[in-house]
Amino acid sequence: IIQNIEEFHDTHGRYPTSAQEAQINLPQTRYGTWTYRLGDGGTDYSLSVGEYDGWDPFVLSWSSATRQWYRDT
């Protein structure tokens, strides 16, 4: 997913407004569907999956601003 978003950025000079714009199908996992969010100003984005409800509450997120993964429990 990250590679496809970065390739879109390299081609268009901006991040996509949605995963659909970049023709990315966000996969469904047992922890939910991946979510893509464009940051304010369009200069960064985040990806996340997970939920705080359920048997193993957590959210895994990628930040393009910091280029790091985060796990929140």
Side-chain angles (χ1 to χ4, degrees), residues 6-60:
E6 294 299 333
E7 287 174 359
F8 182 97
H9 183 270
D10 291 345
T11 301
H12 300 280
R14 63 178 179 82
Y15 289 115
T17 57
S18 67
Q20 293 78 16
E21 181 183 16
Q23 300 179 340
I24 298 170
N25 293 320
L26 296 173
Q28 174 70 32
T29 72
R30 70 183 202 175
Y31 303 108
T33 302
W34 281 94
T35 302
Y36 170 82
R37 289 185 182 89
L38 183 61
D40 293 338
T43 59
D44 63 320
Y45 67 91
S46 65
L47 293 167
S48 61
V49 67
E51 57 183 45
Y52 291 110
D53 299 328
W55 61 273
D56 186 19
F58 80 97
V59 173
L60 179 65

